[in-house]
Amino acid sequence: MMNQINNPGLEKFDISDYKGSSGVNFYEQDKILQRMVDRYSAYFTPEHRKDMHNHLSGYGKLLGGILNDLTLASHKEGKYGEIRKYDSVGNRIDEIIYSEEQLQSRKISYDYGVVNLDFHKSWNHSFPYIHRYALAYLMNLNGEGGVSCPLAMTDGLITALKQIGTDEQRNKYLPLIAGEGSSSHFMCGQYVTERVGGSNVGANRTIAIKQENGKWKLIGEKWFCSNPGDLWVTTAKMEGTNTIGMFLVSRYKEDGSLNEHHIIRKKDIIGSRGKLTAEIIYDGVEAEELGRPSHGIANLIRTIIKASRIHVGLGACGNSRRAIMEASAYSKFRTAYGKNINAFPAYKSQLVELQILQSICTISNFRMVYHAEQNTKLQDLLIPLMKYKSSSLASYICKSAMLCLGGNGIIADFSPIPRLLNDSIINESWEGTHLIISDHCMHALSKDKVRKEWMEELSANIKSASSIQVFSDLIVFFHNLLTKWEALFSNSKQWKEANRIYIIDKTYEIFSLSLVIQEAASHYDEQSKIHFHYEHREEIYQDLAYAYKEILEFGVGAYKAPDGLFMNQEKLDRLLEYLS
Ligand SMILES: Cc1cc2nc3c(=O)[nH]c(=O)nc-3n(C[C@H](O)[C@H](O)[C@H](O)COP(=O)(O)OP(=O)(O)OC[C@H]3O[C@@H](n4cnc5c(N)ncnc54)[C@H](O)[C@@H]3O)c2cc1C
């Protein structure tokens, strides 16, 4: 029999009505994203700009609403994708069965035009990178979700087909993977890694054998195949040579029969579990060359890998943004020692520091996106730089945000943060481990043209601030960093090789600092002033720049100066509110 006395331990308490950040419009709440969208769409017609903002806002609403719910529902035991090898009468089908929730989530984003708005008849404008990648970033606020890795790979394949596909390939495949109303919802892949390794693509053991009809047959195995679906690119060594070619493989052959591949095993991955990652054997799978086969690796890098590294950078930023949103939302509810937890200076300062790191990483990513669209030489540095830095920062931010929720942060069905953290860890590896990526950055920095554009970029970014008194400390600090950075390159080759992560970290610090200085100063300078669609509180960017300087000077989670921004409660509150 129940005790007649009310149980005080079961009474309503501080987080009884807590719902995290679900239900929020992810775009409308993200001031930094809005500013980036404003900055990089300054040249659009007013009509185009308005339509883009509405489109982004609509997606932000879907993401915080139904897509958030579907992502949660499809990330539970029994709802993950499974391989079905045979049908009921014994025919091999090698099919992936996804839950209804996962399929619906893909369909909603696909039909919304996330990867293919330029294929929508009702869309009367172009679909530039700022719009595309703002959508991709937003999608990642729900984590990988079984959608964003497939989006990255589908985007890469669309780009490759547009750039190096034949007319016949474009006519045949683009309607399937990008067409409005297609039933193939982000069902593309890119299979390069083999059991002998993923970093060194040249070590691929899969062989491509040319057929009389001009097609190829591939024999070998791919060890990490995410999102097995309708169409994928793959690599193989052309028979009798040491050259890696890039090929296009369709799930079904011309006659409608299953192409000769076996999906062997679903990998038991710790993150990005919404889509399935498998091992696949090529048993004479029929393939077409995509671009000139002898340019396989070069084409792979400039189309497929370029697209997916951009997606990883922005995706990681999206993951960390959501983790911080959750921590901020929680801190408004939770009380301890009779106070709201964000009233503790140590707690608030930690949360704001995470917000600053994430915001500046977002600003840096969108600058990288600008260079990628312009096809500058500097993209050779910035794309790998932002892939590495965003993914490693995201793991740090997600883990720290998790701890902001105390024990509840660890609980997988309390908030999406544990899932976001696991997704972030995957982002650190796929499309290149940190050591490989930092090698690519070092290689880019050794090229004169990249180095020249790098210096021009930095000068342009700090130009407005250089003549304004209020920024003088920042400018001195920036030049000190730059001088120390330049000196690193006079060390021995062996030292640079062993310290390449350190050098690349410093490279990011300089780049990101130059950008936040630019944001802080742009409103003072009539020439570089931007006509904004949204209202931006300019004084915030000055605080952001000075707070970032302090982080770079003393370290993350480290000393805070007595006269610095982190000791100024008014400014801290202002940042906390603006960046939440
Ligand atoms: C969930 C998930 C999904 C994936 N999906 C796909 C996919 O769809 N398609 C695909 O092709 N791949 C996919 N991958 C594979 C991924 O791209 C590879 O894991 C990655 O490229 C690293 O390759 P590897 O695992 O073979 O590591 P290795 O290449 O064996 O490297 C092992 C370690 O050695 C280090 N190392 C290697 N070379 C050097 C060097 N020159 N200098 C210094 N250190 C070095 C690496 O940094 C790493 O720490 C996926 C991976 C994961 C985790």
Side-chain angles (χ1 to χ4, degrees), residues 427-472:
N427 273 335
E428 293 196 64
S429 267
W430 88 289
E431 287 311 330
T433 62
H434 296 334
L435 287 174
I436 294 299
I437 293 276
S438 57
D439 189 40
H440 293 179
C441 292
M442 291 298 282
H443 181 66
L445 278 168
S446 70
K447 293 190 213 156
D448 289 344
K449 283 187 182 158
V450 175
R451 210 51 182 249
K452 182 169 168 288
E453 288 188 14
W454 165 247
M455 294 311 290
E456 286 167 359
E457 166 79 13
L458 296 179
S459 305
N461 293 348
I462 62 156
K463 186 165 171 271
S464 303
S466 297
S467 54
I468 302 170
Q469 183 58 29
V470 72
F471 298 116
S472 56

Short mmCIF file of all heavy atoms in Angstrom, two decimals, residues 427-472:
data_model
loop_
_atom_site.label_atom_id
_atom_site.label_comp_id
_atom_site.label_asym_id
_atom_site.label_seq_id
_atom_site.Cartn_x
_atom_site.Cartn_y
_atom_site.Cartn_z
N ASN A 427 33.60 12.35 -37.55
CA ASN A 427 34.04 13.43 -38.44
C ASN A 427 35.54 13.67 -38.37
O ASN A 427 36.15 14.18 -39.30
CB ASN A 427 33.31 14.74 -38.10
CG ASN A 427 31.98 14.84 -38.81
OD1 ASN A 427 31.79 14.23 -39.87
ND2 ASN A 427 31.07 15.61 -38.26
N GLU A 428 36.14 13.30 -37.23
CA GLU A 428 37.59 13.49 -37.11
C GLU A 428 38.36 12.51 -37.99
O GLU A 428 39.51 12.75 -38.32
CB GLU A 428 38.02 13.32 -35.64
CG GLU A 428 37.48 14.42 -34.74
CD GLU A 428 38.22 14.48 -33.41
OE1 GLU A 428 39.42 14.78 -33.40
OE2 GLU A 428 37.57 14.22 -32.38
N SER A 429 37.73 11.38 -38.31
CA SER A 429 38.46 10.35 -39.07
C SER A 429 38.13 10.31 -40.55
O SER A 429 39.01 10.24 -41.39
CB SER A 429 38.16 8.96 -38.50
OG SER A 429 39.14 8.63 -37.56
N TRP A 430 36.84 10.31 -40.84
CA TRP A 430 36.52 10.08 -42.26
C TRP A 430 36.88 11.31 -43.09
O TRP A 430 36.92 12.41 -42.59
CB TRP A 430 35.08 9.58 -42.45
CG TRP A 430 34.00 10.61 -42.60
CD1 TRP A 430 33.53 11.43 -41.63
CD2 TRP A 430 33.26 10.90 -43.79
NE1 TRP A 430 32.53 12.22 -42.14
CE2 TRP A 430 32.35 11.91 -43.46
CE3 TRP A 430 33.27 10.39 -45.09
CZ2 TRP A 430 31.45 12.45 -44.39
CZ3 TRP A 430 32.38 10.93 -46.01
CH2 TRP A 430 31.49 11.94 -45.66
N GLU A 431 37.20 11.07 -44.33
CA GLU A 431 37.72 12.10 -45.23
C GLU A 431 39.09 12.60 -44.81
O GLU A 431 39.50 13.70 -45.14
CB GLU A 431 36.74 13.28 -45.36
CG GLU A 431 35.53 12.96 -46.19
CD GLU A 431 35.87 12.32 -47.52
OE1 GLU A 431 36.94 12.60 -48.08
OE2 GLU A 431 35.06 11.52 -48.00
N GLY A 432 39.79 11.77 -44.04
CA GLY A 432 41.17 12.09 -43.70
C GLY A 432 41.37 12.30 -42.22
O GLY A 432 40.68 13.10 -41.59
N THR A 433 42.33 11.55 -41.66
CA THR A 433 42.66 11.70 -40.24
C THR A 433 43.42 13.03 -40.07
O THR A 433 43.90 13.62 -41.04
CB THR A 433 43.55 10.54 -39.77
OG1 THR A 433 44.77 10.60 -40.53
CG2 THR A 433 42.89 9.20 -39.98
N HIS A 434 43.56 13.45 -38.83
CA HIS A 434 44.22 14.75 -38.59
C HIS A 434 45.63 14.80 -39.16
O HIS A 434 46.06 15.81 -39.72
CB HIS A 434 44.27 15.03 -37.08
CG HIS A 434 42.91 15.18 -36.47
ND1 HIS A 434 41.81 15.60 -37.18
CD2 HIS A 434 42.48 14.98 -35.20
CE1 HIS A 434 40.76 15.64 -36.38
NE2 HIS A 434 41.13 15.27 -35.18
N LEU A 435 46.35 13.68 -39.00
CA LEU A 435 47.75 13.71 -39.46
C LEU A 435 47.83 13.80 -40.99
O LEU A 435 48.72 14.45 -41.54
CB LEU A 435 48.51 12.49 -38.94
CG LEU A 435 48.83 12.55 -37.44
CD1 LEU A 435 49.44 11.25 -36.95
CD2 LEU A 435 49.77 13.71 -37.13
N ILE A 436 46.89 13.16 -41.64
CA ILE A 436 46.87 13.22 -43.11
C ILE A 436 46.45 14.62 -43.56
O ILE A 436 47.06 15.25 -44.43
CB ILE A 436 45.91 12.15 -43.68
CG1 ILE A 436 46.45 10.75 -43.38
CG2 ILE A 436 45.65 12.34 -45.17
CD1 ILE A 436 47.80 10.43 -43.98
N ILE A 437 45.41 15.13 -42.91
CA ILE A 437 44.90 16.45 -43.28
C ILE A 437 45.96 17.53 -43.03
O ILE A 437 46.14 18.44 -43.85
CB ILE A 437 43.64 16.77 -42.44
CG1 ILE A 437 42.50 15.82 -42.83
CG2 ILE A 437 43.22 18.21 -42.58
CD1 ILE A 437 41.72 16.22 -44.02
N SER A 438 46.65 17.42 -41.90
CA SER A 438 47.66 18.45 -41.61
C SER A 438 48.79 18.38 -42.64
O SER A 438 49.39 19.40 -42.99
CB SER A 438 48.18 18.31 -40.18
OG SER A 438 48.72 17.03 -39.99
N ASP A 439 49.05 17.18 -43.14
CA ASP A 439 50.06 17.04 -44.19
C ASP A 439 49.60 17.79 -45.45
O ASP A 439 50.39 18.47 -46.11
CB ASP A 439 50.27 15.55 -44.49
CG ASP A 439 51.45 15.31 -45.41
OD1 ASP A 439 52.47 16.00 -45.24
OD2 ASP A 439 51.34 14.45 -46.32
N HIS A 440 48.30 17.68 -45.76
CA HIS A 440 47.77 18.39 -46.93
C HIS A 440 47.89 19.91 -46.74
O HIS A 440 48.19 20.64 -47.67
CB HIS A 440 46.31 18.00 -47.19
CG HIS A 440 46.16 16.56 -47.62
ND1 HIS A 440 44.96 15.97 -47.88
CD2 HIS A 440 47.09 15.59 -47.82
CE1 HIS A 440 45.14 14.71 -48.23
NE2 HIS A 440 46.43 14.45 -48.19
N CYS A 441 47.65 20.35 -45.51
CA CYS A 441 47.78 21.79 -45.23
C CYS A 441 49.23 22.24 -45.42
O CYS A 441 49.50 23.28 -46.02
CB CYS A 441 47.35 22.11 -43.80
SG CYS A 441 45.60 21.88 -43.49
N MET A 442 50.15 21.43 -44.89
CA MET A 442 51.57 21.80 -45.00
C MET A 442 51.99 21.83 -46.47
O MET A 442 52.74 22.71 -46.89
CB MET A 442 52.45 20.79 -44.23
CG MET A 442 52.29 20.85 -42.73
SD MET A 442 52.76 22.43 -42.02
CE MET A 442 54.53 22.31 -42.03
N HIS A 443 51.46 20.89 -47.22
CA HIS A 443 51.78 20.85 -48.65
C HIS A 443 51.27 22.14 -49.32
O HIS A 443 51.98 22.77 -50.10
CB HIS A 443 51.15 19.61 -49.27
CG HIS A 443 51.45 19.46 -50.72
ND1 HIS A 443 52.73 19.24 -51.19
CD2 HIS A 443 50.65 19.55 -51.82
CE1 HIS A 443 52.70 19.18 -52.51
NE2 HIS A 443 51.46 19.37 -52.92
N ALA A 444 50.04 22.52 -48.99
CA ALA A 444 49.47 23.74 -49.58
C ALA A 444 50.32 24.95 -49.19
O ALA A 444 50.61 25.82 -50.03
CB ALA A 444 48.03 23.92 -49.11
N LEU A 445 50.74 24.98 -47.93
CA LEU A 445 51.53 26.14 -47.47
C LEU A 445 52.91 26.22 -48.12
O LEU A 445 53.57 27.25 -48.06
CB LEU A 445 51.67 26.09 -45.94
CG LEU A 445 50.47 26.63 -45.17
CD1 LEU A 445 50.58 26.28 -43.69
CD2 LEU A 445 50.33 28.15 -45.34
N SER A 446 53.33 25.11 -48.71
CA SER A 446 54.65 25.14 -49.37
C SER A 446 54.55 25.71 -50.79
O SER A 446 55.56 25.91 -51.45
CB SER A 446 55.25 23.72 -49.41
OG SER A 446 54.52 22.94 -50.33
N LYS A 447 53.32 25.97 -51.25
CA LYS A 447 53.16 26.50 -52.61
C LYS A 447 53.14 28.02 -52.58
O LYS A 447 52.37 28.62 -51.81
CB LYS A 447 51.86 25.99 -53.23
CG LYS A 447 51.83 24.50 -53.48
CD LYS A 447 50.58 24.18 -54.30
CE LYS A 447 50.02 22.84 -53.98
NZ LYS A 447 48.61 22.71 -54.28
N ASP A 448 53.92 28.63 -53.45
CA ASP A 448 54.03 30.10 -53.45
C ASP A 448 52.68 30.79 -53.66
O ASP A 448 52.37 31.78 -53.01
CB ASP A 448 55.00 30.56 -54.56
CG ASP A 448 56.43 30.20 -54.20
OD1 ASP A 448 56.67 29.90 -53.01
OD2 ASP A 448 57.28 30.19 -55.11
N LYS A 449 51.90 30.24 -54.59
CA LYS A 449 50.62 30.90 -54.91
C LYS A 449 49.67 30.88 -53.71
O LYS A 449 48.96 31.84 -53.45
CB LYS A 449 49.96 30.23 -56.11
CG LYS A 449 50.59 30.63 -57.42
CD LYS A 449 49.80 30.07 -58.58
CE LYS A 449 50.50 30.44 -59.88
NZ LYS A 449 50.14 29.56 -60.97
N VAL A 450 49.67 29.76 -53.00
CA VAL A 450 48.81 29.66 -51.82
C VAL A 450 49.30 30.64 -50.76
O VAL A 450 48.53 31.39 -50.15
CB VAL A 450 48.82 28.22 -51.25
CG1 VAL A 450 48.03 28.14 -49.95
CG2 VAL A 450 48.26 27.24 -52.28
N ARG A 451 50.60 30.64 -50.56
CA ARG A 451 51.21 31.52 -49.54
C ARG A 451 50.89 32.99 -49.85
O ARG A 451 50.58 33.77 -48.95
CB ARG A 451 52.70 31.25 -49.58
CG ARG A 451 53.52 31.41 -48.34
CD ARG A 451 53.01 30.71 -47.12
NE ARG A 451 53.91 31.02 -46.03
CZ ARG A 451 54.73 30.16 -45.47
NH1 ARG A 451 54.71 28.89 -45.82
NH2 ARG A 451 55.53 30.54 -44.50
N LYS A 452 50.93 33.33 -51.13
CA LYS A 452 50.66 34.72 -51.52
C LYS A 452 49.19 35.07 -51.19
O LYS A 452 48.90 36.10 -50.58
CB LYS A 452 50.94 34.86 -53.02
CG LYS A 452 50.74 36.25 -53.57
CD LYS A 452 51.30 36.34 -55.00
CE LYS A 452 50.88 37.62 -55.69
NZ LYS A 452 49.47 37.65 -56.07
N GLU A 453 48.28 34.19 -51.59
CA GLU A 453 46.86 34.46 -51.33
C GLU A 453 46.56 34.47 -49.82
O GLU A 453 45.69 35.18 -49.35
CB GLU A 453 45.97 33.43 -52.04
CG GLU A 453 45.95 33.64 -53.54
CD GLU A 453 44.94 32.75 -54.27
OE1 GLU A 453 44.06 32.16 -53.62
OE2 GLU A 453 45.04 32.65 -55.50
N TRP A 454 47.28 33.66 -49.10
CA TRP A 454 47.12 33.60 -47.63
C TRP A 454 47.46 34.96 -47.02
O TRP A 454 46.69 35.51 -46.23
CB TRP A 454 48.03 32.49 -47.11
CG TRP A 454 48.33 32.44 -45.64
CD1 TRP A 454 49.54 32.64 -45.06
CD2 TRP A 454 47.42 32.12 -44.56
NE1 TRP A 454 49.45 32.47 -43.70
CE2 TRP A 454 48.16 32.15 -43.36
CE3 TRP A 454 46.07 31.81 -44.50
CZ2 TRP A 454 47.61 31.89 -42.12
CZ3 TRP A 454 45.50 31.56 -43.26
CH2 TRP A 454 46.27 31.60 -42.08
N MET A 455 48.59 35.52 -47.42
CA MET A 455 48.99 36.81 -46.86
C MET A 455 48.02 37.91 -47.30
O MET A 455 47.69 38.80 -46.52
CB MET A 455 50.44 37.16 -47.28
CG MET A 455 51.50 36.23 -46.70
SD MET A 455 51.36 35.93 -44.92
CE MET A 455 51.83 37.51 -44.26
N GLU A 456 47.56 37.82 -48.55
CA GLU A 456 46.60 38.83 -49.03
C GLU A 456 45.29 38.73 -48.25
O GLU A 456 44.69 39.74 -47.90
CB GLU A 456 46.32 38.61 -50.53
CG GLU A 456 47.48 39.05 -51.41
CD GLU A 456 47.35 38.56 -52.85
OE1 GLU A 456 46.36 37.86 -53.19
OE2 GLU A 456 48.27 38.86 -53.64
N GLU A 457 44.88 37.51 -47.98
CA GLU A 457 43.64 37.30 -47.23
C GLU A 457 43.75 37.92 -45.83
O GLU A 457 42.87 38.66 -45.39
CB GLU A 457 43.38 35.78 -47.13
CG GLU A 457 42.34 35.35 -46.11
CD GLU A 457 40.91 35.53 -46.59
OE1 GLU A 457 40.71 35.77 -47.79
OE2 GLU A 457 39.99 35.46 -45.73
N LEU A 458 44.86 37.64 -45.17
CA LEU A 458 45.02 38.15 -43.80
C LEU A 458 45.04 39.68 -43.81
O LEU A 458 44.38 40.33 -42.99
CB LEU A 458 46.30 37.61 -43.17
CG LEU A 458 46.37 36.09 -42.96
CD1 LEU A 458 47.71 35.69 -42.35
CD2 LEU A 458 45.23 35.58 -42.09
N SER A 459 45.79 40.25 -44.75
CA SER A 459 45.87 41.72 -44.81
C SER A 459 44.50 42.33 -45.04
O SER A 459 44.13 43.32 -44.40
CB SER A 459 46.77 42.19 -45.96
OG SER A 459 47.99 41.62 -45.86
N ALA A 460 43.75 41.73 -45.97
CA ALA A 460 42.42 42.28 -46.27
C ALA A 460 41.51 42.17 -45.04
O ALA A 460 40.74 43.08 -44.74
CB ALA A 460 41.81 41.53 -47.45
N ASN A 461 41.62 41.06 -44.32
CA ASN A 461 40.72 40.85 -43.18
C ASN A 461 40.96 41.86 -42.06
O ASN A 461 40.02 42.25 -41.37
CB ASN A 461 40.87 39.43 -42.63
CG ASN A 461 40.37 38.38 -43.60
OD1 ASN A 461 39.72 38.72 -44.59
ND2 ASN A 461 40.67 37.12 -43.35
N ILE A 462 42.20 42.25 -41.87
CA ILE A 462 42.46 43.17 -40.73
C ILE A 462 42.55 44.63 -41.17
O ILE A 462 42.76 45.52 -40.35
CB ILE A 462 43.75 42.78 -39.97
CG1 ILE A 462 44.98 42.87 -40.88
CG2 ILE A 462 43.63 41.40 -39.34
CD1 ILE A 462 46.25 43.09 -40.09
N LYS A 463 42.38 44.87 -42.47
CA LYS A 463 42.62 46.21 -43.01
C LYS A 463 41.78 47.29 -42.30
O LYS A 463 42.32 48.28 -41.81
CB LYS A 463 42.31 46.21 -44.51
CG LYS A 463 42.65 47.50 -45.21
CD LYS A 463 42.67 47.29 -46.71
CE LYS A 463 42.79 48.61 -47.44
NZ LYS A 463 41.51 49.21 -47.72
N SER A 464 40.47 47.08 -42.22
CA SER A 464 39.62 48.12 -41.64
C SER A 464 40.01 48.40 -40.19
O SER A 464 40.07 49.56 -39.77
CB SER A 464 38.16 47.69 -41.66
OG SER A 464 37.76 47.40 -42.94
N ALA A 465 40.29 47.34 -39.44
CA ALA A 465 40.58 47.51 -38.01
C ALA A 465 41.91 48.20 -37.77
O ALA A 465 42.10 48.84 -36.72
CB ALA A 465 40.56 46.15 -37.33
N SER A 466 42.83 48.08 -38.74
CA SER A 466 44.20 48.57 -38.51
C SER A 466 44.27 50.06 -38.22
O SER A 466 45.18 50.52 -37.54
CB SER A 466 45.08 48.24 -39.71
OG SER A 466 45.15 46.86 -39.85
N SER A 467 43.31 50.81 -38.73
CA SER A 467 43.39 52.26 -38.52
C SER A 467 42.39 52.74 -37.46
O SER A 467 42.14 53.92 -37.33
CB SER A 467 43.12 52.97 -39.85
OG SER A 467 41.90 52.50 -40.36
N ILE A 468 41.82 51.83 -36.70
CA ILE A 468 40.83 52.23 -35.69
C ILE A 468 41.41 51.97 -34.30
O ILE A 468 41.82 50.85 -33.97
CB ILE A 468 39.50 51.46 -35.88
CG1 ILE A 468 38.95 51.72 -37.30
CG2 ILE A 468 38.47 51.88 -34.85
CD1 ILE A 468 37.79 50.84 -37.69
N GLN A 469 41.44 53.03 -33.52
CA GLN A 469 42.10 52.99 -32.21
C GLN A 469 41.63 51.85 -31.32
O GLN A 469 42.42 51.15 -30.69
CB GLN A 469 41.88 54.35 -31.52
CG GLN A 469 42.56 54.50 -30.18
CD GLN A 469 44.08 54.31 -30.27
OE1 GLN A 469 44.70 54.58 -31.30
NE2 GLN A 469 44.68 53.79 -29.20
N VAL A 470 40.32 51.64 -31.30
CA VAL A 470 39.75 50.67 -30.37
C VAL A 470 40.26 49.23 -30.62
O VAL A 470 40.21 48.37 -29.75
CB VAL A 470 38.21 50.76 -30.41
CG1 VAL A 470 37.64 50.19 -31.69
CG2 VAL A 470 37.58 50.11 -29.21
N PHE A 471 40.82 49.02 -31.82
CA PHE A 471 41.31 47.68 -32.14
C PHE A 471 42.83 47.56 -32.04
O PHE A 471 43.39 46.53 -32.41
CB PHE A 471 40.87 47.28 -33.55
CG PHE A 471 39.39 47.21 -33.70
CD1 PHE A 471 38.71 48.06 -34.56
CD2 PHE A 471 38.64 46.29 -32.97
CE1 PHE A 471 37.34 48.00 -34.69
CE2 PHE A 471 37.26 46.23 -33.09
CZ PHE A 471 36.61 47.09 -33.94
N SER A 472 43.50 48.61 -31.56
CA SER A 472 44.96 48.59 -31.64
C SER A 472 45.59 47.40 -30.89
O SER A 472 46.51 46.77 -31.40
CB SER A 472 45.54 49.92 -31.16
OG SER A 472 45.09 50.17 -29.86
#
